Amino acid sequence: MATLQLLAQAAQNPNARRYLDMLSAAEGTTGNGYQTAFGGGRLASLDSHPGTAAVFQQTNGRRNVTTAAGRYQFLRPTWQGLARQYGFRDFGPRNQDLGALALIAQSGALDDVLQGRFDAAIRKTGRIWASLPSSPYAQKKRDWGFVSKALGKPSQQPQYLSAQDVQRLFPAQPTQQPQYLSDQDAQRLFSHEPQFLSDEQVKALFPG
């Protein structure tokens, strides 16, 4: 388990801040931030996790219930476990950041985040945040293009070369035209006419 001191240090890391901002964007909490209720409403207080249950429909058509809340949409049981582990006394912004980093650490992705290996971190944290493209849950997911943009990474679109670039990179080579033989050369090299012996040569070879 990551210590509270380690989490506090990680919270100051620029890559960790980028990852937390991406999670907020993926979870759709950029409007109300730390005070976001499930579905986009605003929490009245951050004294504690609200624990309010909300019904929603999964992408497979089934109905489900969630207690997600906050900038990173913590479920109440998850938050209660974090509060016991780290002594969180409220649901304030600092504790929410530390709680999200603790979940990242539990998934084995904290070092990936700190080192900027975001794709690896996303693959490892898809079971925590259902909005990530690596999530196995029947809930709406963001695609890789969305999370790349939220992380400030260049879009992974194919780069096409212009006609001028192609000519510059691959200058025209001498045309490899087939080499043809003249009729005379062909007759000389590939003559397959049968060779006949004269009458005198036959008699010399087969006397009598």
Side-chain angles (χ1 to χ4, degrees):
M1 182 183 81
T3 65
L4 189 60
Q5 181 180 8
L6 176 62
L7 297 178
Q9 291 174 347
Q12 305 303 314
N13 181 284
N15 285 333
R17 299 310 312 176
R18 289 171 65 188
Y19 202 78
L20 292 177
D21 289 344
M22 179 277 293
L23 290 175
S24 175
E27 292 292 317
T29 64
T30 54
N32 290 323
Y34 298 96
Q35 292 184 271
T36 305
F38 180 79
R42 186 178 178 84
L43 301 177
S45 171
L46 294 180
D47 289 342
S48 62
H49 188 291
T52 304
V55 178
F56 71 99
Q57 189 173 39
Q58 299 183 153
T59 55
N60 59 8
R62 296 179 180 177
R63 292 166 66 83
N64 203 343
V65 177
T66 183
T67 54
R71 191 178 196 230
Y72 312 107
Q73 294 293 280
F74 296 97
L75 299 177
R76 181 173 175 79
T78 300
W79 182 257
Q80 288 176 327
L82 292 169
R84 285 193 298 270
Q85 282 181 311
Y86 295 102
F88 297 151
R89 295 181 178 275
D90 59 43
F91 196 51
R94 180 178 182 275
N95 287 342
Q96 288 191 38
D97 285 350
L98 296 178
L101 290 170
L103 294 179
I104 292 170
Q106 289 175 15
S107 71
L110 184 58
D111 190 57
D112 291 319
V113 169
L114 298 180
Q115 298 301 320
R117 298 190 294 266
F118 297 129
D119 288 354
I122 289 169
R123 291 187 177 92
K124 293 177 182 178
T125 54
R127 289 188 174 276
I128 300 173
W129 285 282
S131 61
L132 295 180
S134 55
S135 166
Y137 306 116
Q139 298 182 35
K140 293 182 179 179
K141 304 174 182 62
R142 307 292 187 177
D143 60 28
W144 284 96
F146 179 96
V147 295
S148 292
K149 183 177 180 181
L151 287 165
K153 295 171 60 179
S155 176
Q156 301 299 313
Q157 295 294 328
Q159 302 299 313
Y160 296 100
L161 296 175
S162 66
Q164 292 82 0
D165 288 335
V166 171
Q167 291 177 353
R168 177 173 56 82
L169 293 171
F170 308 104
Q173 300 295 322
T175 304
Q176 301 299 315
Q177 294 291 342
Q179 302 300 311
Y180 294 100
L181 296 174
S182 66
D183 291 340
Q184 293 80 1
D185 289 336
Q187 289 177 357
R188 177 171 56 82
L189 293 173
F190 306 108
S191 176
H192 295 290
E193 293 294 328
Q195 302 298 313
F196 296 100
L197 298 175
S198 65
D199 292 339
E200 292 76 12
Q201 290 172 320
V202 170
K203 291 178 180 178
L205 290 172
F206 306 104

